[in-house]
Amino acid sequence: IDGRPVNAFVGALPESQLRAFIDALLPNPSEIERRKALELLASGQTDAAISALRAALALNPANDPARWDLADALIAQASGGTATAATPLLDEARGLLDGVARTAQAEPRHRALSTRLNSMTLAADLPQRETLQERIAAHPADLQARLDLANLLISRGDYEPALEQLLEIAGRDRSFGDDIGRRTVLSVFELMAAQPERVAAYRRRLAALLNR
């Protein structure tokens, strides 16, 4: 399914067992709605995709991939609107992520979406980018200013300059914020999944920094 093996068997099965095996792998109604939504997202029909994802969750509230897809779409929509319009979208996205099964909350995609959501929530109360840059220029060891700048950049989808700040934090003090520099770097890698070459380059930098 989607290019990945999900189940297998060895040897031959009677026809009845083989049919049951295949039936168990066929998409359920909730997954069918989710797949329709992904096609709509790919064609730029965001509003229709959001409706389809809400329908998928109405059919199966435990469909965590649909929760992530819907949260992702809402966060993306919120990033292009005003603060007033963004608030209900971000609130809904937070509710979706909170509803993901506890065992799935350790998944990289969940952590990445939580990082983007938290950054967008924090951004409303953060100083302007220029102000934070001036603070860092005056006091390079101001790790809180670096973290605030990284969160502001993440909220805007400017991931590479955010990574520069996060790597600086991780390099200066691993204990700051319970190693928040390194932990946030890993979440940003997931947000940049569509840029594997850039992620690989930053992974090498992170590894070199941590092993020096």
Side-chain angles (χ1 to χ4, degrees):
I1 297 174
D2 294 332
R4 294 176 297 174
V6 293
N7 207 342
F9 63 88
V10 178
L13 293 179
E15 181 178 344
S16 60
Q17 292 183 36
L18 182 56
R19 288 186 179 278
F21 180 89
I22 293 172
D23 286 344
L25 299 179
L26 293 176
N28 57 44
S30 176
E31 188 61 20
I32 290 172
E33 283 294 324
R34 175 179 174 251
R35 289 170 180 273
K36 180 175 76 173
L38 295 179
E39 292 176 1
L40 290 167
L41 283 172
S43 63
Q45 301 178 65
T46 304
D47 289 340
I50 287 174
S51 295
L53 287 167
R54 285 175 174 150
L57 287 173
L59 289 164
N60 179 15
N63 187 341
D64 286 340
R67 283 183 174 275
W68 290 325
D69 292 334
L70 180 52
D72 198 354
L74 292 170
I75 291 169
Q77 197 170 62
S79 68
T82 64
T84 301
T87 298
L89 297 173
L90 296 179
D91 287 345
E92 183 179 355
R94 188 175 300 282
L96 288 163
L97 294 178
D98 288 345
V100 169
R102 187 173 299 277
T103 54
Q105 291 185 10
E107 291 290 328
R109 190 179 185 198
H110 186 89
R111 295 198 306 268
L113 288 171
S114 295
T115 294
R116 181 84 192 277
L117 177 60
N118 290 336
S119 294
M120 292 183 70
T121 303
L122 290 170
D125 298 319
L126 290 176
Q128 293 295 316
R129 179 173 182 169
E130 294 74 15
T131 301
L132 291 168
Q133 289 173 328
E134 289 171 2
R135 282 175 53 186
I136 294 167
H139 303 284
D142 187 344
L143 301 189
Q144 186 59 55
R146 290 186 181 277
L147 180 60
D148 288 345
L149 179 55
N151 278 315
L152 188 64
L153 293 166
I154 292 168
S155 75
R156 298 175 179 177
D158 295 335
Y159 299 133
E160 292 197 44
L163 284 172
E164 296 294 338
Q165 297 301 325
L166 295 168
L167 288 172
E168 188 70 23
I169 292 169
R172 286 177 176 269
D173 186 356
R174 291 284 302 279
S175 67
F176 176 75
D178 192 22
D179 203 12
I180 195 169
R182 182 191 62 83
R183 291 188 291 108
T184 308
V185 164
L186 297 178
S187 294
V188 174
F189 286 166
E190 183 66 20
L191 289 168
M192 293 176 62
Q195 305 174 60
E197 292 184 0
R198 300 303 301 153
V199 170
Y202 278 105
R203 281 192 188 279
R204 289 193 292 270
R205 286 182 57 185
L206 178 63
L209 184 152
L210 297 179
N211 295 321
R212 68 185 182 185

